[in-house]
Amino acid sequence: MEKRTVTNNESLLCTLHSNDANHQAANLINWQQEFDQLSQGQFLGVINEVSLPHIHVFREDTSHELRQQCRVEDGGLWLGVSANNKSCRINHQRTSHDQFLCMPGGLDFELLTPDNFSIFGLVLPKSLLTQFAEQNEEAQISQTPRGLCIEGSGAGAQMVFRQYLSLLLQPQGNRWSSITQEIILQDAVQELLSQAQQVSASHVGSHQRLRIMKRVKHYLSDSRLKTPVTISEICAAVHVSRRTLQYTFSECLGMSPKQYIKIIRLNQVRRRLLNCDSARTISEIAFDYGFFHLSQFSQDYMRLFGEKPRQTLQHNHRYRSEST
């Protein structure tokens, strides 16, 4: 069994390898687990994990079919989603590969996972759940026979969630501090719960919507958009709930707050590329405006402007050479 640690910007990435299912079960912190190997052959398992101040994040890869008896520490909460588009069973019920699973601490549950399975997981402590409840009273999780399951999350939210977890758990890390990483994760979890709750906020009047939009636009200054901005942060700044903010943006702009922020940031990046006279790369400029996944950034940029970022940069260089 091998243990390796890599430190980047205050966050600790720990990679654990095992060649036995029992070792794999013991390697994951904050859990009580027992694994039974169901398919034949030499078992191989890997856990990549980051322990942030209030959230434990991991990706678990297992080579063989397993029966996993699991329990998260009392008072906490586990969220899990397939990392390689394979489905599993929880409490004898089949799940879809794109479904977010959720179990509260202190309850036993069983996972049946297939060969070559990979799953992202987050373990949240009780204190963080209490904070979520105070900030976002409308976010709820519905009880189902398979335990707890978050329904209604959009494909776009799932993709962004997986992309960020992949980035967070890669060996080279990123330039954000562990505090910033946790803020982003907390907001992503709250966004997930908020999207799952289908509640109308149509009581918000037109004058109130205009006031909210004015406060939001004032808050989202150019300098602030160069740092990660969470929906929870905006709600606190303009004194509204997530539900009210979502409804206001939908009614006023026909898009979500996250979509609006992304579009504004893409336009900021384009202005920088059109006026770029330094040696900074496209990826560095994109990261300055909160785009941590370069290929997704390029797709979003192409979709919005009809050209790739490097084409914009080439237009800028050609224009400058013709002007001199």
Side-chain angles (χ1 to χ4, degrees), residues 159-170:
M159 180 181 66
V160 172
F161 204 95
R162 286 191 179 94
Q163 287 175 349
Y164 179 69
L165 292 178
S166 296
L167 178 75
L168 180 62
L169 294 168
Q170 65 185 13

PDB file of all heavy atoms in Angstrom, residues 159-170:
ATOM      1  N   MET A 159     -22.116  18.676 -15.299  1.00  0.00           N
ATOM      2  CA  MET A 159     -20.866  18.728 -16.047  1.00  0.00           C
ATOM      3  C   MET A 159     -19.863  19.662 -15.372  1.00  0.00           C
ATOM      4  O   MET A 159     -18.688  19.315 -15.192  1.00  0.00           O
ATOM      5  CB  MET A 159     -21.131  19.195 -17.481  1.00  0.00           C
ATOM      6  CG  MET A 159     -19.878  19.285 -18.340  1.00  0.00           C
ATOM      7  SD  MET A 159     -20.252  19.872 -20.006  1.00  0.00           S
ATOM      8  CE  MET A 159     -20.793  21.552 -19.652  1.00  0.00           C
ATOM      9  N   VAL A 160     -20.321  20.853 -14.987  1.00  0.00           N
ATOM     10  CA  VAL A 160     -19.436  21.806 -14.323  1.00  0.00           C
ATOM     11  C   VAL A 160     -18.934  21.250 -12.999  1.00  0.00           C
ATOM     12  O   VAL A 160     -17.761  21.391 -12.642  1.00  0.00           O
ATOM     13  CB  VAL A 160     -20.161  23.155 -14.108  1.00  0.00           C
ATOM     14  CG1 VAL A 160     -19.329  24.088 -13.242  1.00  0.00           C
ATOM     15  CG2 VAL A 160     -20.450  23.808 -15.457  1.00  0.00           C
ATOM     16  N   PHE A 161     -19.832  20.590 -12.253  1.00  0.00           N
ATOM     17  CA  PHE A 161     -19.473  20.003 -10.967  1.00  0.00           C
ATOM     18  C   PHE A 161     -18.359  18.974 -11.155  1.00  0.00           C
ATOM     19  O   PHE A 161     -17.349  18.977 -10.436  1.00  0.00           O
ATOM     20  CB  PHE A 161     -20.715  19.353 -10.361  1.00  0.00           C
ATOM     21  CG  PHE A 161     -20.670  19.228  -8.873  1.00  0.00           C
ATOM     22  CD1 PHE A 161     -21.244  20.187  -8.065  1.00  0.00           C
ATOM     23  CD2 PHE A 161     -20.070  18.136  -8.272  1.00  0.00           C
ATOM     24  CE1 PHE A 161     -21.218  20.074  -6.686  1.00  0.00           C
ATOM     25  CE2 PHE A 161     -20.036  18.006  -6.895  1.00  0.00           C
ATOM     26  CZ  PHE A 161     -20.609  18.983  -6.103  1.00  0.00           C
ATOM     27  N   ARG A 162     -18.537  18.074 -12.127  1.00  0.00           N
ATOM     28  CA  ARG A 162     -17.518  17.046 -12.383  1.00  0.00           C
ATOM     29  C   ARG A 162     -16.202  17.661 -12.849  1.00  0.00           C
ATOM     30  O   ARG A 162     -15.114  17.230 -12.455  1.00  0.00           O
ATOM     31  CB  ARG A 162     -18.030  16.062 -13.435  1.00  0.00           C
ATOM     32  CG  ARG A 162     -19.092  15.098 -12.948  1.00  0.00           C
ATOM     33  CD  ARG A 162     -19.302  14.026 -14.012  1.00  0.00           C
ATOM     34  NE  ARG A 162     -20.289  13.039 -13.622  1.00  0.00           N
ATOM     35  CZ  ARG A 162     -21.564  13.101 -13.944  1.00  0.00           C
ATOM     36  NH1 ARG A 162     -22.020  14.120 -14.672  1.00  0.00           N
ATOM     37  NH2 ARG A 162     -22.407  12.160 -13.572  1.00  0.00           N
ATOM     38  N   GLN A 163     -16.280  18.662 -13.707  1.00  0.00           N
ATOM     39  CA  GLN A 163     -15.068  19.307 -14.207  1.00  0.00           C
ATOM     40  C   GLN A 163     -14.270  19.935 -13.072  1.00  0.00           C
ATOM     41  O   GLN A 163     -13.038  19.822 -13.021  1.00  0.00           O
ATOM     42  CB  GLN A 163     -15.428  20.366 -15.247  1.00  0.00           C
ATOM     43  CG  GLN A 163     -15.872  19.808 -16.582  1.00  0.00           C
ATOM     44  CD  GLN A 163     -16.338  20.900 -17.531  1.00  0.00           C
ATOM     45  OE1 GLN A 163     -16.521  22.045 -17.142  1.00  0.00           O
ATOM     46  NE2 GLN A 163     -16.523  20.543 -18.789  1.00  0.00           N
ATOM     47  N   TYR A 164     -14.977  20.599 -12.172  1.00  0.00           N
ATOM     48  CA  TYR A 164     -14.271  21.235 -11.068  1.00  0.00           C
ATOM     49  C   TYR A 164     -13.648  20.197 -10.138  1.00  0.00           C
ATOM     50  O   TYR A 164     -12.504  20.348  -9.697  1.00  0.00           O
ATOM     51  CB  TYR A 164     -15.191  22.154 -10.263  1.00  0.00           C
ATOM     52  CG  TYR A 164     -14.434  22.770  -9.117  1.00  0.00           C
ATOM     53  CD1 TYR A 164     -13.441  23.716  -9.362  1.00  0.00           C
ATOM     54  CD2 TYR A 164     -14.656  22.369  -7.810  1.00  0.00           C
ATOM     55  CE1 TYR A 164     -12.703  24.255  -8.334  1.00  0.00           C
ATOM     56  CE2 TYR A 164     -13.918  22.909  -6.770  1.00  0.00           C
ATOM     57  CZ  TYR A 164     -12.947  23.848  -7.036  1.00  0.00           C
ATOM     58  OH  TYR A 164     -12.207  24.353  -6.016  1.00  0.00           O
ATOM     59  N   LEU A 165     -14.371  19.115  -9.848  1.00  0.00           N
ATOM     60  CA  LEU A 165     -13.811  18.076  -8.993  1.00  0.00           C
ATOM     61  C   LEU A 165     -12.587  17.435  -9.645  1.00  0.00           C
ATOM     62  O   LEU A 165     -11.602  17.131  -8.962  1.00  0.00           O
ATOM     63  CB  LEU A 165     -14.874  17.018  -8.695  1.00  0.00           C
ATOM     64  CG  LEU A 165     -16.046  17.464  -7.822  1.00  0.00           C
ATOM     65  CD1 LEU A 165     -17.054  16.329  -7.659  1.00  0.00           C
ATOM     66  CD2 LEU A 165     -15.576  17.949  -6.460  1.00  0.00           C
ATOM     67  N   SER A 166     -12.632  17.228 -10.958  1.00  0.00           N
ATOM     68  CA  SER A 166     -11.476  16.672 -11.671  1.00  0.00           C
ATOM     69  C   SER A 166     -10.269  17.590 -11.539  1.00  0.00           C
ATOM     70  O   SER A 166      -9.143  17.135 -11.300  1.00  0.00           O
ATOM     71  CB  SER A 166     -11.805  16.459 -13.152  1.00  0.00           C
ATOM     72  OG  SER A 166     -12.818  15.494 -13.314  1.00  0.00           O
ATOM     73  N   LEU A 167     -10.487  18.888 -11.680  1.00  0.00           N
ATOM     74  CA  LEU A 167      -9.405  19.852 -11.566  1.00  0.00           C
ATOM     75  C   LEU A 167      -8.845  19.867 -10.151  1.00  0.00           C
ATOM     76  O   LEU A 167      -7.629  19.862  -9.943  1.00  0.00           O
ATOM     77  CB  LEU A 167      -9.905  21.253 -11.930  1.00  0.00           C
ATOM     78  CG  LEU A 167      -8.876  22.377 -11.794  1.00  0.00           C
ATOM     79  CD1 LEU A 167      -7.881  22.311 -12.935  1.00  0.00           C
ATOM     80  CD2 LEU A 167      -9.551  23.733 -11.756  1.00  0.00           C
ATOM     81  N   LEU A 168      -9.724  19.857  -9.164  1.00  0.00           N
ATOM     82  CA  LEU A 168      -9.308  19.922  -7.771  1.00  0.00           C
ATOM     83  C   LEU A 168      -8.459  18.717  -7.384  1.00  0.00           C
ATOM     84  O   LEU A 168      -7.518  18.835  -6.590  1.00  0.00           O
ATOM     85  CB  LEU A 168     -10.543  19.994  -6.872  1.00  0.00           C
ATOM     86  CG  LEU A 168     -10.317  20.058  -5.358  1.00  0.00           C
ATOM     87  CD1 LEU A 168      -9.546  21.320  -4.980  1.00  0.00           C
ATOM     88  CD2 LEU A 168     -11.636  20.005  -4.625  1.00  0.00           C
ATOM     89  N   LEU A 169      -8.768  17.546  -7.963  1.00  0.00           N
ATOM     90  CA  LEU A 169      -8.109  16.313  -7.559  1.00  0.00           C
ATOM     91  C   LEU A 169      -6.973  15.891  -8.475  1.00  0.00           C
ATOM     92  O   LEU A 169      -6.450  14.785  -8.348  1.00  0.00           O
ATOM     93  CB  LEU A 169      -9.150  15.184  -7.492  1.00  0.00           C
ATOM     94  CG  LEU A 169     -10.208  15.350  -6.398  1.00  0.00           C
ATOM     95  CD1 LEU A 169     -11.347  14.359  -6.599  1.00  0.00           C
ATOM     96  CD2 LEU A 169      -9.590  15.184  -5.018  1.00  0.00           C
ATOM     97  N   GLN A 170      -6.553  16.757  -9.388  1.00  0.00           N
ATOM     98  CA  GLN A 170      -5.429  16.401 -10.235  1.00  0.00           C
ATOM     99  C   GLN A 170      -4.113  16.762  -9.539  1.00  0.00           C
ATOM    100  O   GLN A 170      -4.060  17.704  -8.735  1.00  0.00           O
ATOM    101  CB  GLN A 170      -5.523  17.103 -11.597  1.00  0.00           C
ATOM    102  CG  GLN A 170      -5.415  18.619 -11.562  1.00  0.00           C
ATOM    103  CD  GLN A 170      -5.649  19.232 -12.929  1.00  0.00           C
ATOM    104  OE1 GLN A 170      -6.114  18.571 -13.850  1.00  0.00           O
ATOM    105  NE2 GLN A 170      -5.323  20.498 -13.060  1.00  0.00           N
TER     106      GLN A 170
END
